[in-house]
């Protein structure tokens, strides 16, 4: 992969940010991933990963409006950048190509 390679956790966090689109903040990403992966996620690990993705230029963040439910604090919202989208598309292509090239006999003929 050219440019910035993603680890598995970075990839799923980036996908969750894209999925949540305009409502992607740390707690929402944790909730989404916990439900989809059926295992608990660490808020700290997700938040650090989101920061790392921003440092790589794959996401950008902005502060939302302050809300009473958050005690007047603002959410830090993340969105996928063009570079992030391209990185995800490349990761998807690589995975799809690998799956397509696995011989049926590799899994006893039942999985592919």
């Amino acid at each position: 992969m050219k440019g910035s390679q993603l680890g598995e956790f970075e990839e799923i966090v980036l996908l969750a940010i894209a999925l949540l689109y305009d409502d992607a903040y740390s707690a929402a990403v944790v909730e989404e991933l916990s439900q989809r992966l059926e295992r608990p996620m660490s808020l700290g690990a997700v938040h650090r990963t989101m920061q790392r993705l921003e440092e790589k230029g794959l996401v950008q963040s902005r502060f939302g409006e302050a809300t009473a439910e958050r005690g007047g604090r603002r959410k830090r919202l993340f969105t996928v950048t063009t570079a992030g989208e391209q990185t995800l598309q490349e990761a998807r292509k690589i995975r799809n190509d690998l799956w397509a090239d696995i011989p049926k006999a590799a899994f006893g003929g039942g999985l592919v």
Side-chain angles (χ1 to χ4, degrees):
M1 208 183 313
K2 294 178 184 168
S4 180
Q5 289 192 335
L6 292 175
E8 181 185 10
F9 193 67
E10 287 178 322
E11 184 176 347
I12 63 169
V13 169
L14 188 54
L15 286 166
I17 292 168
L19 175 71
L20 294 168
Y21 179 57
D22 205 32
D23 199 31
Y25 59 99
S26 297
V29 171
V30 166
E31 184 177 329
E32 186 68 37
L33 292 177
S34 293
Q35 288 176 358
R36 288 186 180 258
L37 299 176
E38 298 179 353
R39 65 179 194 218
M41 292 284 125
S42 161
L43 179 63
V46 168
H47 185 72
R48 281 188 305 277
T49 300
M50 293 169 79
Q51 289 176 324
R52 194 167 52 251
L53 291 170
E54 187 167 33
E55 290 168 6
K56 290 181 175 185
L58 303 178
V59 298
Q60 60 187 11
S61 68
R62 63 178 169 75
F63 285 101
E65 297 298 318
T67 60
E69 70 185 36
R70 292 180 46 83
R73 294 186 329 231
R74 303 184 308 169
K75 293 177 186 172
R76 187 172 184 181
L77 302 167
F78 290 79
T79 54
V80 177
T81 63
T82 301
E85 180 184 357
Q86 290 170 345
T87 300
L88 282 174
Q89 292 291 352
E90 183 65 21
R92 182 180 191 180
K93 181 185 179 317
I94 289 168
R95 287 179 188 264
N96 288 344
D97 289 348
L98 285 167
W99 273 104
D101 290 343
I102 296 173
K104 287 190 187 329
F107 296 126
L111 244 185
V112 180

